[in-house]
Amino acid sequence: MIERPNPGEYPPFAAKYVDLVGNGPIIEILEYLQQTTLHFFTRMDPAKGSYAYSEGKWTVKQVLGHMADTERVFAYRALVFARDPVELPGFDQDRFMANSNFNERKLEDLAIEFNALRETTLHLLRSVTDEQSTQKGIASGYPVSVRGLAYMIAGHELHHLKILKERYL
């Protein structure tokens, strides 16, 4: 079972994500989010996918695509740190977005892809041993543990779902 990370197992900027995650088992939290997030996006009017609440802000489709990109990056880091705790480069979300085509895709397709991605993340995290969960590598110049990344995945999702509900719908 992956325990909640301690401060110092994730970057200071990620505390806002980790703090959003409840105290239950992280695998169960991620499974629950998998179901509710898929439901949230597949029940949404597809026309809302192109909506941005303000000039220069991402559309709903871009937010969902960003959530997927970020989960991929965080899950990759978790895999690497579980196997060989090394230093990995940073992740520039704006450069990723500039080179994406999320707005050209269907909202439902993005939601299904995110759901499939979560399934692979869950398989990865279920395979992590207690010892591996506390292993740390360096990402974006900060030490981060495998379990820190697991909580960052959930918290990042919760953060963006909150913004979507408050500012987009």
Side-chain angles (χ1 to χ4, degrees):
M1 184 169 115
I2 297 175
E3 301 285 331
R4 187 173 193 84
N6 297 312
E9 291 187 58
Y10 48 86
F13 68 82
K16 69 180 180 181
Y17 302 139
V18 174
D19 291 347
L20 289 174
V21 181
N23 289 321
I26 191 62
I27 298 294
E28 290 179 19
I29 291 168
L30 288 167
E31 288 170 339
Y32 174 78
L33 284 170
Q34 180 184 25
Q35 294 169 7
T36 58
T37 298
L38 178 64
H39 190 247
F40 175 76
F41 284 106
T42 56
R43 291 193 62 220
M44 186 181 292
D45 178 354
K48 290 193 184 249
S50 299
Y51 174 74
Y53 70 88
S54 182
E55 179 83 23
K57 296 297 182 182
W58 292 342
T59 65
V60 170
K61 288 193 252 185
Q62 287 175 312
V63 171
L64 178 53
H66 163 71
M67 289 166 55
D69 279 354
T70 302
E71 182 153 337
R72 280 186 176 98
V73 170
F74 288 178
Y76 172 72
R77 289 174 177 176
L79 169 66
V80 171
F81 298 163
R83 307 287 196 266
D84 183 22
V86 296
E87 184 165 354
L88 295 174
F91 160 54
D92 185 331
Q93 66 182 17
D94 295 319
R95 286 178 52 194
F96 269 53
M97 189 59 69
N99 292 300
S100 76
N101 67 343
F102 300 129
N103 282 332
E104 298 165 18
R105 298 181 57 198
K106 292 180 180 180
L107 181 62
E108 183 179 17
D109 289 344
L110 289 166
I112 291 168
E113 179 181 341
F114 185 77
N115 187 65
L117 172 61
R118 174 56 51 83
E119 194 63 36
T120 63
T121 299
L122 285 165
H123 282 286
L124 170 65
L125 294 175
R126 287 183 194 115
S127 75
V128 169
T129 66
D130 290 341
E131 181 181 337
Q132 289 172 326
S133 75
T134 61
Q135 288 183 177
K136 291 183 193 175
I138 305 292
S140 300
Y142 294 96
V144 62
S145 69
V146 172
R147 67 186 183 185
L149 287 159
Y151 276 77
M152 288 168 59
I153 288 169
H156 182 261
E157 181 177 354
L158 290 165
H159 167 76
H160 282 290
L161 289 171
K162 182 175 187 268
I163 290 172
L164 285 165
K165 291 172 184 174
E166 290 175 353
R167 299 182 188 170
Y168 285 78
L169 304 178

